[in-house]
Amino acid sequence: MKLARKDLLGLEGLSREEIELLLGAAESFKDVLKRKIPKVPTLRGKTAVNLFFEASTRTRVSFELAEKRLSADSVSVSAKMSSHEKGETLLDTVRNLQAMKMDFVVIRHGSSGAPHFLASRIDASVINAGDGAHEHPTQGLLDIFTMRERFGGLDGLRVAIVGDILHSRVARSNIFGLRTLGAKVVLSGPPTFIPPGVEELGVQVEPVFDRAIEDADVVMVLRIQKERQDGNFFPSLREYAIQYGLNRARAAKLKDRCLVMHPGPINRGVEIEPQVADGPRSVILDQVTNGVAVRMAVIYLLSGGEVEHGLVS
Ligand code: CP
């Protein structure tokens, strides 16, 4: 099977078959990454540029690693070190990069829709590495991959996503992907952090944090995205931590097999207590590990790669 798409801009609109194809390919690449030499020649001759207009540790490094593990050539550019600082437009920057024959553009940008703007104007495949508060599809895929790895499937799974939903591209991508795969999604957080009308996406809103997490199979904790806020959304960090922080007392009441997830970066002591982030329920570092295999799968399938009998060929 092939993925009949040039770009990956979001999980919204992806079919169940497409998401399962991506997850299946990621499973194969996870096996590749366990080999003594964790590298395949699949994308030899292809070139990727990673264009990051916002800070990143996990996404940027794992895209770079994914490209190297697939034997693609890659270069990374950050906004501060690029001619963006001299006033060059995004489109001009990317057109110039394409003039050097790029096959993939991985872009993180503070403006929602920036990857979509590029995708319709250039021949290279565009991969959204996070655009404003809109989507972060590879994060959504690696989160879903991590849940599927632990539970086998997503149908009927109850996933509580808690915290700053309003500014979270991770929440949106997870909502689209999880709903498509049959999971139930419950959102909780301060009312100012819950987008009005979000129930239309097929999710439940439970304002009482303890009720939202009591039957959950997965609790996904989100950071407060201060960089996207222009007002006061809650009285103080201390009060936030008391009301919405996943602390040891709350974690002790979770269902036996309940997983604790966080896309990172973590603000320890605010949305999650260090002992919970590092505790036995936490799969936070597994999420990071899985990010490389998932990003390999995305690049491979967008380049026209096939999955046959669950294996990449
Ligand atoms: N989860 C995530 O996007 O982390 P980074 O901002 O470090 O890439």
Side-chain angles (χ1 to χ4, degrees):
M1 277 180 73
K2 286 185 169 199
L3 187 69
R5 286 181 184 266
K6 175 175 93 66
D7 313 293
L8 180 69
L9 304 177
L11 296 192
E12 185 177 15
L14 254 64
S15 66
R16 186 179 186 117
E17 290 71 28
E18 287 177 304
I19 295 177
E20 284 175 349
L21 179 64
L22 285 156
L23 299 176
E27 230 171 88
S28 280
F29 283 120
K30 189 157 180 186
D31 288 339
V32 168
L33 293 173
K34 289 177 190 155
R35 292 180 193 162
K36 198 169 168 195
I37 300 174
K39 194 164 174 144
V40 285
T42 319
L43 288 196
R44 213 149 44 190
K46 300 277 184 193
T47 308
V49 59
N50 305 306
L51 203 47
F52 278 70
F53 289 88
E54 278 191 340
S56 169
T57 299
R58 281 148 289 269
T59 312
R60 179 173 169 158
V61 173
S62 69
F63 265 113
E64 287 180 13
L65 273 177
E67 290 149 5
K68 290 182 200 314
R69 301 298 191 223
L70 290 166
S71 302
D73 295 313
S74 72
V75 285
S76 292
V77 183
S78 63
K80 283 208 162 44
M81 297 298 286
S82 75
S83 289
H84 171 75
E85 289 287 286
K86 302 176 199 161
E88 189 172 59
T89 65
L90 174 62
L91 186 56
D92 278 335
T93 300
V94 174
R95 277 192 178 140
N96 278 271
L97 294 170
Q98 183 149 298
M100 292 180 255
K101 310 293 178 210
M102 298 296 164
D103 299 293
F104 295 94
V105 177
V106 175
I107 178 167
R108 168 168 290 190
H109 202 283
S111 299
S112 299
H116 305 66
F117 173 81
L118 288 183
S120 58
R121 288 167 176 81
I122 62 171
D123 296 332
S125 284
V126 176
I127 303 174
N128 181 0
D131 63 325
H134 178 231
E135 278 224 43
H136 191 349
T138 57
Q139 179 71 44
L141 287 171
L142 74 88
D143 293 337
I144 290 168
F145 182 90
T146 307
M147 293 179 216
R148 199 175 82 142
E149 209 173 32
R150 296 297 179 115
F151 293 104
L154 275 290
D155 273 309
L157 211 68
R158 189 176 163 93
V159 181
I161 306 180
V162 297
D164 182 2
I165 313 289
L166 182 67
H167 303 101
S168 176
R169 52 197 178 202
V170 174
R172 285 176 60 82
S173 287
N174 267 287
I175 290 169
F176 292 128
L178 287 166
R179 293 294 301 127
T180 301
L181 296 186
K184 293 176 192 148
V185 180
V186 184
L187 307 179
S188 189
T192 47
F193 277 161
I194 303 295
V198 72
E199 292 91 341
E200 285 168 24
L201 300 180
V203 299
Q204 183 192 333
V205 174
E206 173 49 74
V208 181
F209 181 60
D210 292 289
R211 275 216 293 267
I213 63 175
E214 71 186 351
D215 283 331
D217 298 296
V218 177
V219 178
M220 183 181 295
V221 188
L222 301 176
R223 176 177 70 89
I224 300 165
Q225 309 248 322
K226 291 203 198 81
E227 69 274 29
R228 292 187 219 295
Q229 297 172 15
D230 53 8
N232 289 330
F233 286 81
F234 53 93
S236 71
L237 284 181
R238 191 172 164 276
E239 227 168 294
Y240 183 89
I242 292 168
Q243 281 202 49
Y244 298 100
L246 188 59
N247 54 30
R248 275 168 290 175
R250 285 188 169 121
K253 290 189 204 152
L254 295 174
K255 274 175 25 180
D256 277 353
R257 291 183 65 217
C258 180
L259 302 181
V260 170
M261 302 180 74
H262 193 309
I266 293 171
N267 289 135
R268 288 172 180 263
V270 181
E271 72 272 12
I272 189 164
E273 240 184 7
Q275 293 86 347
V276 180
D278 303 328
R281 296 180 181 283
S282 171
V283 290
I284 294 171
L285 292 180
D286 299 277
Q287 291 172 257
V288 179
T289 301
N290 290 336
V292 180
V294 163
R295 288 171 176 125
M296 286 173 81
V298 169
I299 297 167
Y300 170 77
L301 285 168
L302 290 181
S303 74
E306 282 189 62
V307 178
E308 292 294 339
H309 310 297
L311 294 172
V312 293
S313 48

